[in-house]
Amino acid sequence: MKWIMVFFAISAVTIIVPPLIMKFQREKILKSETSNDEKMYKGTKLMLLCMILAIGLYFPPVIRLGILDKVMEPLAEHISSPFLGALIFMGVFITPLLISIMLTILVASKIEVEAKGLNIKTRETVKGILKAFAFLLLPGIVWLGIYLNLPEKIRNSTLASFGVFVIYILSFFALSPYLTRFFGKPRQVPEPLRTELLKFCESLGFKVRDIRVTGKKEYKIANAGVTGILPWARYIFITEYMLETFEPEEIKAVIAHEIGHIKGRHLWINALIAIGWFGFWMGIVFALIKLGVDILSPVVFFGVFFSAYIIYFVVIQGKISLRNEFKADEFAAKVIGKETVIKTLEKLAEVNLTPKKTGKWFGFLSFHPSIEERIRHLEEVAE
């Protein structure tokens, strides 16, 4: 059938073109007479642009030509399980795009490998990419399986569906520490530093189950994060490379920043933002129906969906996330000193080969202001 050939052609272009562009431009970046941190920054920008290109190459023609309906129609008669049908639909819908994005990330990773002088095999990089995507996709697949097996009465009720969605989001935020432990296989911080850091948390009135070390020092990534909205199931994770390269006071400054996120209820804010997406999207759908727009048209549905998604999660959440980072920095400066926090931020930029100055768009997509902006903000705020 002609449409099958068209679908394979679109999929092939999506899978091949963005990674190829990334590969050709990567060699130019690596040969350029610029600093390693600039090479990393340019590589990241190019990688994001190639991902956007993949989306542009795949979704518009597939949706416009109604290929998804043509794929699912002959399969519908043989699929009795709604969950299996949804998985096949999503598999057809996003697999070519996922392959393209993963290949682009893999190709781009060579810039980091050469800039940092890493001794990492391609197999290890592939495993890391697959783990990251599994971490992102697995909870959604589990939720979809549960939702589609609920009684039809619940699935047909907007309010009941919203309740199920709320439970899923809160469960994800509550259980994310265990997902991190499952995929990251973290270990305990060695003594006596672990006891010192836990006492530091306690002195700030911060309840945490433990502080764990994750990642591999060979990757040369210094980072930390706090996960878990429930105090008894909350963990702080720091990377092996941070443990190796940062002084105890600098690690405390990073942990104080993470505690600032909890004190400011930023994880709860992120959960509410995710929950708010349901109302935001349903509000748009009802408004368009009232205006007589055919929302069931694939072109209209996906066009409006992606536009709404970008506005909500990139613009709105991006703005809130940048504000939360500044607030967490302020908290860290209050408890451990402005100079120590600034010194730690500068070291993070140096160790991770991150330019201190990055574009506004980069901040919105990464949900973090540039190091330069964070230092400037701290200098303008009194301790």
Side-chain angles (χ1 to χ4, degrees):
M1 287 187 259
K2 185 179 177 181
W3 65 265
I4 294 179
M5 298 301 295
V6 172
F7 177 62
F8 277 115
I10 294 169
S11 298
V13 169
T14 302
I15 291 170
I16 295 169
V17 172
L20 270 182
I21 293 174
M22 184 74 230
K23 185 176 186 300
F24 291 137
Q25 292 301 314
R26 179 192 69 189
E27 300 309 314
K28 289 184 181 180
I29 291 171
L30 289 173
K31 291 175 183 176
S32 64
E33 298 295 326
T34 56
S35 61
N36 284 331
D37 60 346
E38 277 299 319
K39 288 177 182 177
M40 290 271 291
Y41 180 54
K42 287 180 180 178
T44 303
K45 285 199 296 184
L46 179 60
M47 181 181 70
L48 291 171
L49 289 172
C50 286
M51 289 179 183
I52 293 169
L53 174 62
I55 293 170
L57 287 172
Y58 185 68
F59 280 138
V62 165
I63 293 168
R64 183 69 185 86
L65 297 172
I67 289 175
L68 293 174
D69 290 335
K70 291 171 182 173
V71 171
M72 293 307 295
E73 276 173 10
L75 294 173
E77 300 174 6
H78 309 287
I79 300 172
S80 58
S81 166
F83 178 58
L84 181 59
L87 279 183
I88 293 173
F89 177 83
M90 293 304 295
V92 172
F93 191 45
I94 66 172
T95 295
L97 184 61
L98 283 180
I99 294 172
S100 178
I101 289 173
M102 285 191 276
L103 286 175
T104 299
I105 294 171
L106 180 63
V107 172
S109 68
K110 189 180 177 184
I111 296 175
E112 183 177 7
V113 168
E114 294 207 10
K116 289 185 175 181
L118 305 180
N119 184 25
I120 297 173
K121 294 180 180 178
T122 303
R123 184 175 66 250
E124 286 296 312
T125 306
V126 172
K127 276 174 62 178
I129 293 170
L130 291 175
K131 274 187 178 181
F133 274 84
F135 181 87
L136 293 172
L137 296 175
L138 191 59
I141 292 171
V142 171
W143 174 77
L144 183 65
I146 294 171
Y147 177 74
L148 290 177
N149 283 287
L150 291 173
E152 192 173 346
K153 186 177 179 181
I154 293 177
R155 287 186 282 116
N156 289 338
S157 166
T158 302
L159 188 60
S161 295
F162 176 66
V164 174
F165 183 70
V166 170
I167 292 170
Y168 161 67
I169 294 296
L170 294 179
S171 299
F172 176 79
F173 275 84
L175 299 175
S176 56
Y178 299 101
L179 285 171
T180 304
R181 288 182 61 185
F182 177 77
F183 286 105
K185 305 268 188 296
R187 65 179 180 89
Q188 279 193 339
V189 176
E191 296 290 359
L193 181 59
R194 176 175 174 269
T195 299
E196 183 181 344
L197 294 178
L198 287 173
K199 283 182 178 178
F200 174 69
C201 292
E202 189 179 345
S203 71
L204 297 175
F206 175 69
K207 293 181 180 179
V208 61
R209 181 155 187 158
D210 203 358
I211 300 171
R212 297 287 178 95
V213 186
T214 188
K216 297 179 180 179
K217 62 182 178 182
E218 293 84 7
Y219 286 94
K220 294 185 180 180
I221 296 173
N223 202 359
V226 60
T227 61
I229 55 177
L230 302 174
W232 51 267
R234 182 182 295 141
Y235 286 81
I236 289 177
F237 296 98
I238 62 174
T239 61
E240 287 275 5
Y241 196 54
M242 173 170 282
L243 185 67
E244 184 181 83
T245 56
F246 279 57
E247 298 296 327
E249 282 304 301
E250 293 167 337
I251 294 175
K252 284 181 183 177
V254 174
I255 287 177
H257 172 91
E258 300 305 325
I259 294 173
H261 281 309
I262 297 300
K263 294 288 185 180
R265 296 180 174 83
H266 297 165
L267 294 188
W268 281 101
I269 290 171
N270 290 340
L272 289 174
I273 289 171
I275 290 169
W277 162 250
F278 188 97
F280 184 76
W281 170 240
M282 291 307 298
I284 291 173
V285 169
F286 285 133
L288 290 175
I289 291 173
K290 285 285 186 183
L291 292 171
V293 177
D294 181 14
I295 194 66
L296 295 180
S297 163
V299 176
V300 174
F301 180 86
F302 287 108
V304 173
F305 178 85
F306 287 124
S307 300
Y309 190 91
I310 291 168
I311 291 169
Y312 193 82
F313 282 108
V314 177
V315 179
I316 297 176
Q317 186 180 10
K319 187 73 176 172
I320 294 171
S321 295
L322 296 183
R323 174 255 182 202
N324 289 346
E325 290 303 319
F326 287 133
K327 290 295 182 184
D329 283 342
E330 288 176 28
F331 178 84
K334 284 178 184 176
V335 300
I336 206 159
K338 185 189 296 186
E339 293 306 316
T340 302
V341 176
I342 290 175
K343 184 179 119 184
T344 304
L345 286 171
E346 289 173 338
K347 189 167 181 176
L348 279 168
E350 179 187 347
V351 168
N352 290 321
L353 291 183
T354 304
K356 290 183 182 178
K357 185 175 182 178
T358 54
K360 286 281 185 185
W361 68 273
F362 190 81
F364 272 97
L365 289 177
S366 64
F367 300 127
H368 279 74
S370 68
I371 296 294
E372 182 185 70
E373 287 177 302
R374 292 171 70 176
I375 291 173
R376 188 190 312 124
H377 178 79
L378 283 175
E379 289 172 341
E380 292 170 354
V381 174
E383 286 189 36

